[in-house]
Amino acid sequence: MRAAVVGAGPAGMVAADRLASGGAEVVVLEATGAVGGRTRSVLLGPGHRLDTGASWLAGFYSEALAYCSGLAMLRRDVTGTPQLVVGGRRYPAPFEPGVLARSPLLGPTEKLRFARWVAGVLARRRRPHVGPPRRADADRADRIDADTAIREAVGAAAAEYVLRPAFETMVFADLADLSAAFVEGWIRAAFDGRYRVPAEGMDAPWRRLAARLEVRCGVEVTEVRPQGPGGGVVVEPVGTFDAAVVAVPAPVAARIVPPGVPGRPAWLGELRHAPHVLAYAARPHPDPPPASDVHPAGAGRHRVGSVALYPGGDGRVPVGMQGATVSAEGWWSDELLAAGLDDRALAAALWDEGRRLEPGLFGLEEATVLHVARHPHAVPVFGPGHLARLAAWSPCPPVALAGDWTCYPCVEGAVRSGRRAAEVLLTAGR
Ligand SMILES: Cc1cc2nc3c(=O)[nH]c(=O)nc-3n(C[C@H](O)[C@H](O)[C@H](O)COP(=O)(O)OP(=O)(O)OC[C@H]3O[C@@H](n4cnc5c(N)ncnc54)[C@H](O)[C@@H]3O)c2cc1C
């Protein structure tokens, strides 16, 4: 079988690897100049790396971590973070019982309701789980939005002062837009607490695969369509293949795979990805303070979702330097992307807001390194009902769809989706 794989993110690279190991002749077609997609890392100088998208792998990402086997890994545990900022003062996120007991963010009744609710989530979701539940229709929490569910269960204060600030900046979408089941799943995952990152960048496993596969970068695929029974698949503008995996964000898949292609779900055009922009800068600093990560908390919308400071010597930022990232919330990312600012202006806008939140953030004029990342399709928005419709969907030959949006919005979801798409094509080709 000659197969094309569209997209060299984790889903596409894993699909290509699995197809090649199943005996297929594979070519990966990637629009940008590099492998990695939203796990792309950039080398900013000797020993100085920035993950421009995904920046950690959770301990339960069994398949993604298997692809990291043999790579040097750094620990990035999240226990004790983030710090939540209210009225200029900062408080630890009260997820641990001792911290919750001492936290002034919630009153005594709210603390009790919050503790009960967390215990209920942990009991319902016994272990971290990636992908749709086996019986999604039985998961009542997938039918309601997380904001409503949380306000009903624990009240407005826990929603505004704890859960929105801790969570929305991770997925760049409002709790009101997300399925309660999906949010509960991540809350379960946060209690796992063990996170890792490949020392050579989040894209290191995919770059390693690319070294033994045929990957053509700079090829933007504009259409993928089956030619008719037994007639192969036309991949514009490259040629005809026996089969294809399309492993791109949902809005791109909706554009390049025409309606009516088997396995193209009717809801494909409705699935939104939240946008995200961030700026990273680093300055020389002989003795930087320890790492910190602050998120704004409290009612209303915040422009910046987090400001993180990293000391040199953490395995990514060179000794003698201090790095900082300012990340925009999804709605502000949308506005910033629409404004079409150049890198310097975009970084300045983020930095101005970031310094209001984190007075310890150095000025951009001190920075010797600057990088801006723009993600128009950062994270698929798993709204109410999406897990249920995924449980009722699977990829089909000869155009198998893959990508995080078909499984779960994280690297592990992407990896599993890529393997599944490849298996479907290999099985059909036998
Ligand atoms: C800022 C940010 C932070 C994140 N943090 C985390 C995290 O810490 N942990 C985690 O697990 N996940 C995280 N994620 C999510 C994770 O990055 C994604 O779930 C994962 O990368 C999805 O992989 P994918 O292969 O489905 O898609 P992608 O990684 O988007 O890969 C798709 C590829 O297809 C290419 N492409 C698109 N259109 C075309 C076309 N027409 N022709 C050819 N090629 C095309 C793209 O250039 C891209 O290389 C984060 C995402 C972002 C943006």
Side-chain angles (χ1 to χ4, degrees), residues 264-416:
R264 183 194 194 276
W267 42 260
L268 181 58
E270 294 162 23
L271 186 59
R272 196 169 70 80
H273 282 230
H276 183 56
V277 297
L278 65 87
Y280 171 85
R283 65 167 173 173
H285 194 308
D287 184 22
S292 68
D293 179 20
V294 299
H295 300 192
R301 289 184 128 185
H302 307 280
R303 286 182 159 188
V304 158
S306 68
V307 177
L309 294 168
Y310 323 95
D314 70 344
R316 293 301 191 79
V317 182
V319 174
M321 295 199 86
Q322 182 187 35
T325 302
V326 181
S327 295
E329 292 281 16
W331 70 271
W332 197 40
S333 297
D334 238 344
E335 290 189 4
L336 290 170
L337 288 170
L341 304 173
D342 65 21
D343 281 4
R344 196 77 213 177
L346 188 51
L350 286 161
W351 232 252
D352 279 353
E353 285 291 328
R355 290 184 88 176
R356 276 193 258 279
L357 185 66
E358 169 58 278
L361 179 63
F362 53 87
L364 271 187
E365 66 287 352
E366 293 179 62
T368 52
V369 172
L370 178 65
H371 187 91
V372 168
R374 296 172 177 79
H375 296 281
H377 302 132
V379 179
V381 179
F382 273 45
H386 188 58
L387 290 170
R389 56 190 187 186
L390 283 183
W393 174 88
S394 52
C396 277
V399 179
L401 297 179
D404 56 357
W405 60 273
T406 69
C407 180
Y408 219 66
C410 62
V411 175
E412 179 73 1
V415 166
R416 291 183 186 207

Side-chain angles (χ1 to χ4, degrees), residues 141-151 159-160 163-165 167-168 171-183 272 301 381-385:
D142 188 42
R143 280 183 245 132
I144 47 172
D145 75 85
D147 194 57
T148 304
I150 287 166
R151 280 169 200 272
E160 300 291 358
L163 291 159
R164 287 190 54 216
F167 194 75
E168 289 182 353
V171 294
F172 320 122
D174 295 353
L175 287 182
D177 294 333
L178 298 166
S179 141
F182 168 67
V183 172
R272 196 169 70 80
R301 289 184 128 185
V381 179
F382 273 45

Side-chain angles (χ1 to χ4, degrees), residues 10-422:
M13 294 312 295
V14 166
D17 178 56
R18 179 68 194 96
L19 284 165
S21 64
E25 190 189 322
V26 191
V27 52
V28 182
L29 306 166
E30 166 56 43
T32 68
V35 164
R38 283 170 276 153
T39 64
R40 178 90 198 282
S41 70
V42 289
L43 192 59
L44 299 167
H48 197 172
R49 255 190 199 287
L50 171 70
D51 291 317
T52 62
S55 51
W56 42 256
L57 300 170
F60 58 90
Y61 285 10
S62 53
E63 298 201 15
L65 287 170
Y67 276 96
C68 297
S69 162
L71 296 174
M73 303 294 283
L74 302 169
R75 290 286 293 266
R76 285 286 184 270
D77 291 348
V78 296
T79 314
T81 59
Q83 297 276 311
L84 306 179
V85 179
V86 184
R89 296 192 61 183
R90 52 182 77 189
Y91 308 91
F95 287 117
E96 289 176 18
V99 180
L100 178 63
R102 288 189 301 275
S103 179
L105 292 173
L106 302 177
T109 315
E110 289 160 330
K111 285 181 184 175
L112 205 61
R113 288 176 75 190
F114 185 67
R116 273 204 202 117
W117 179 73
V118 170
V121 169
L122 298 184
R124 267 196 304 285
R125 311 202 181 270
R126 286 176 188 278
R127 59 181 71 88
H129 170 75
V130 172
R134 266 168 286 281
R135 291 190 53 223
D137 55 343
D139 197 340
R140 198 191 79 80
D142 188 42
R143 280 183 245 132
I144 47 172
D145 75 85
D147 194 57
T148 304
I150 287 166
R151 280 169 200 272
E152 275 173 11
V154 287
E160 300 291 358
Y161 288 91
V162 181
L163 291 159
R164 287 190 54 216
F167 194 75
E168 289 182 353
T169 190
M170 271 170 48
V171 294
F172 320 122
D174 295 353
L175 287 182
D177 294 333
L178 298 166
S179 141
F182 168 67
V183 172
E184 286 185 4
W186 274 121
I187 284 168
R188 179 68 190 82
F191 279 84
D192 185 56
R194 294 172 296 117
Y195 292 85
R196 271 173 275 178
V197 45
E200 296 300 314
M202 288 289 286
D203 53 7
W206 326 125
R207 286 188 279 116
R208 182 167 65 175
L209 289 183
R212 52 185 163 83
L213 291 163
E214 183 185 347
V215 181
R216 291 191 213 158
C217 284
V219 179
E220 179 165 355
V221 171
T222 53
E223 191 173 39
V224 183
R225 58 174 193 279
Q227 253 183 344
V233 174
V234 179
V235 179
E236 300 284 6
V238 181
T240 304
F241 296 81
D242 299 315
V245 171
V246 176
V248 297
V252 182
R255 200 174 65 233
I256 67 176
V257 178
V261 171
R264 183 194 194 276
W267 42 260
L268 181 58
E270 294 162 23
L271 186 59
R272 196 169 70 80
H273 282 230
H276 183 56
V277 297
L278 65 87
Y280 171 85
R283 65 167 173 173
H285 194 308
D287 184 22
S292 68
D293 179 20
V294 299
H295 300 192
R301 289 184 128 185
H302 307 280
R303 286 182 159 188
V304 158
S306 68
V307 177
L309 294 168
Y310 323 95
D314 70 344
R316 293 301 191 79
V317 182
V319 174
M321 295 199 86
Q322 182 187 35
T325 302
V326 181
S327 295
E329 292 281 16
W331 70 271
W332 197 40
S333 297
D334 238 344
E335 290 189 4
L336 290 170
L337 288 170
L341 304 173
D342 65 21
D343 281 4
R344 196 77 213 177
L346 188 51
L350 286 161
W351 232 252
D352 279 353
E353 285 291 328
R355 290 184 88 176
R356 276 193 258 279
L357 185 66
E358 169 58 278
L361 179 63
F362 53 87
L364 271 187
E365 66 287 352
E366 293 179 62
T368 52
V369 172
L370 178 65
H371 187 91
V372 168
R374 296 172 177 79
H375 296 281
H377 302 132
V379 179
V381 179
F382 273 45
H386 188 58
L387 290 170
R389 56 190 187 186
L390 283 183
W393 174 88
S394 52
C396 277
V399 179
L401 297 179
D404 56 357
W405 60 273
T406 69
C407 180
Y408 219 66
C410 62
V411 175
E412 179 73 1
V415 166
R416 291 183 186 207
S417 78
R419 181 183 43 74
R420 179 165 71 152

